[in-house]
Amino acid sequence: MGREHWKKIWVGSAGNMVEWFDWFVYASFATYFAGAFFPSGDPTAQLMNTAGIFAVGFFMRPVGGWLLGRVGDRKGRKAALTLTVTLMSASAVLIAVAPTYGAAGYGGALVLLVARLLQGLSVGGEYAASATYLTEASDPRSRGFASSFQYVSMTAGQIAGLGLQIVLQRTMSDHALHSYGWRIPFVVGALGAAVIFYLRRSMLETEVYEQDASHAEERGTLRALWRYRREAFLVVALTMGGTVAYYTYTTYLTKYLSNSAGLSKQTATLVSFTALIVFACLQPLAGRLSDRIGRRPLLITFAVGSTFLTVPIMTLLGHADGYWPALGLALLALVVVTGYTSINACVKAELFPTGVRALGVALPYALANALFGGTAEYVALWFRHAGIESGFYWYVAGCAAVSLVVYATMRETKDLDLGRTREAEGSGESSLTTAS
């Protein structure tokens, strides 16, 4: 790829990293601030409350997907990306200054809820705007490789959050972390978002969007998206298994190793941190592979692995007695998940024409995440609270099995022309839901 393509990918990825740093530090620091916003009592119940608010953020993602997807299709990818980082900065500030239960009763939890709603709006649009931007900005022969940097940046945001957590765990007492130390990452996130806002104001629009010849009044509308309802349904179905598996082995993993396997918080955090570094490095390699052999083989490999390996991996993780056994199992799980994460952004973007691409990716993806990704941690904790934790393993495997059927019957997308507009929009026909 040329220098201009790399510049676009860098700016889009850097902003995505900060967005997801703010999104994930909520989950990774929840064990420290859960008691700050709710009455003292059962620690699992406190975590379920914070996980519930975490899930509420996902239910705002469809709204953000619709609103910011519309902005991305009508005003441009740059406009949508700038707006998303503004919303994320505001939410980070709110969490950083939220009062505790002791100071304001449930008022602090209300501030936390509002902040998560703003985060949901932001991330609901960020995923689609970023996926669309990275896919359109790349060389047609390397769309898989370029779009893989979306999950590189997402994972880098989580790595940064976990890295900061490790530093704070080693430089602050446990009491200090529970008292005020958990606010530090949200301050860092707000500052980072301000820097990215400045960078995104000068970013370049994609040529595919600038050359789009579709009717302006049709861009980013639900009416236009309705003509691609088959593709929209396909996005929901192919996201289902991937998003559950991804959140299980990233945001929930640290809590699972701490609560179920009995590892210390420090060890559980270090396992996640190390595994995610390897995971991030795998994304471009898998993305490049998809440019050679296609998207479907990777998706099918993920779904088969997740369907048949989730139960044994999660069972063994629940009995891991140290850093190395836990790390080995976590890496195995994340290698499997890479078949989905490395290419799902470009697959979804490739399904839609330019005039409805951002909305087409944003809304159905956000709906799938609200139903499956955002609730994964809460479902896991519910099964644990009910005394049937293994039920969650089968739930994850079942979601992957549903997606496997979709991957096996969909058509290859890697050679589709991103610049198609009028003819495709006029017909509204889908040639993507049956295997070639």
Side-chain angles (χ1 to χ4, degrees):
M1 289 188 295
R3 183 176 179 180
E4 198 66 28
H5 286 126
W6 278 111
K7 181 179 179 181
K8 291 178 179 179
I9 290 171
W10 154 245
V11 176
S13 297
N16 202 33
M17 181 184 73
V18 174
E19 287 267 1
W20 288 92
F21 170 89
D22 287 341
W23 181 258
F24 281 120
V25 290
Y26 179 98
S28 62
F29 278 84
T31 55
Y32 291 104
F33 67 73
F37 296 105
F38 299 99
S40 59
D42 183 1
T44 300
Q46 290 179 338
L47 280 176
M48 287 182 69
N49 285 329
T50 54
I53 292 180
F54 182 78
V56 166
F58 276 85
F59 285 102
M60 284 301 291
R61 287 175 67 163
V63 180
W66 166 73
L67 178 63
L68 295 167
R70 181 180 173 87
V71 171
D73 284 328
R74 297 183 74 86
K75 303 296 182 181
R77 318 314 188 199
K78 173 183 173 180
L81 287 168
T82 303
L83 182 55
T84 60
V85 78
T86 303
L87 292 172
M88 186 59 77
S89 179
S91 67
V93 170
L94 282 177
I95 297 176
V97 301
T100 64
Y101 179 82
Y106 284 107
L110 180 61
V111 172
L112 191 66
L113 177 62
V114 171
R116 285 298 293 177
L117 293 176
L118 288 177
Q119 283 191 339
L121 282 173
S122 175
V123 176
E126 171 68 24
Y127 175 88
S130 177
T132 301
Y133 188 85
L134 289 173
T135 303
E136 290 182 349
S138 64
D139 186 297
R141 296 166 298 180
S142 57
R143 292 200 299 248
F145 174 74
S147 65
S148 71
F149 282 89
Q150 181 177 46
Y151 269 82
V152 171
S153 57
M154 285 172 61
T155 307
Q158 189 173 7
I159 290 171
L162 287 171
L164 179 57
Q165 186 173 14
I166 291 171
V167 170
L168 293 177
Q169 286 173 340
R170 281 158 174 71
T171 57
M172 300 180 70
S173 67
D174 193 61
H175 173 74
L177 274 172
H178 282 85
S179 177
Y180 65 89
W182 60 266
R183 298 182 187 272
I184 295 175
F186 297 104
V187 174
V188 172
L191 294 175
V195 173
I196 297 304
F197 175 80
Y198 173 78
L199 291 175
R200 282 187 169 177
R201 289 188 64 187
S202 60
M203 71 192 301
L204 301 173
E205 188 57 81
T206 67
E207 292 180 7
V208 172
Y209 179 81
E210 291 181 331
Q211 295 171 2
D212 179 37
S214 59
H215 295 295
E217 64 273 12
E218 286 285 301
R219 289 181 179 176
T221 62
L222 292 175
R223 181 172 55 188
L225 179 60
W226 182 248
R227 291 201 290 269
Y228 295 91
R229 53 191 177 275
R230 294 180 184 177
E231 286 84 352
F233 174 78
L234 188 58
V235 170
V236 173
L238 68 87
T239 298
M240 178 182 177
T243 191
V244 171
Y246 175 73
Y247 280 99
T248 296
Y249 295 120
T250 56
T251 59
Y252 181 61
L253 180 64
T254 304
K255 298 183 186 66
Y256 181 67
L257 291 175
S258 178
N259 290 338
S260 298
L263 299 181
S264 67
K265 290 179 181 178
Q266 290 83 355
T267 300
T269 301
L270 188 60
V271 168
S272 293
F273 180 76
T274 309
L276 286 172
I277 290 176
V278 177
F279 179 65
C281 294
L282 290 174
Q283 303 309 299
L285 299 178
R288 178 66 77 188
L289 180 62
S290 80
D291 288 324
R292 292 179 176 273
I293 68 173
R295 321 298 189 212
R296 287 180 67 243
L298 272 71
L299 291 171
I300 291 172
T301 299
F302 150 72
V304 170
S306 222
T307 299
F308 294 102
L309 294 178
T310 294
V311 174
I313 287 176
M314 291 296 289
T315 301
L316 291 171
L317 274 172
H319 294 87
D321 58 359
Y323 171 79
W324 290 108
L327 177 62
L329 290 166
L331 286 175
L332 175 59
L334 288 174
V335 166
V336 171
V337 174
T338 294
Y340 167 80
T341 56
S342 60
I343 58 170
N344 83 94
C346 68
V347 170
K348 293 161 189 170
E350 288 166 345
L351 291 174
F352 299 94
T354 305
V356 75
R357 183 169 294 129
L359 180 61
V361 175
L363 187 55
Y365 172 78
L367 285 170
N369 262 272
L371 293 172
F372 304 106
T375 58
E377 183 177 334
Y378 191 84
V379 171
L381 290 170
W382 182 88
F383 274 112
R384 173 178 167 77
H385 199 60
I388 47 173
E389 191 164 28
S390 61
F392 177 66
Y393 316 158
W394 291 100
Y395 169 75
V396 177
C399 289
V402 172
S403 288
L404 174 58
V405 175
V406 177
Y407 303 152
T409 56
M410 68 181 286
R411 265 193 163 177
E412 184 55 63
T413 64
K414 82 179 183 72
D415 294 321
L416 290 174
D417 177 18
L418 291 184
R420 68 194 189 281
T421 52
R422 281 189 182 279
E423 183 177 354
E425 288 181 6
S427 65
E429 293 294 327
S430 171
S431 60
L432 302 169
T433 54
T434 54
S436 54

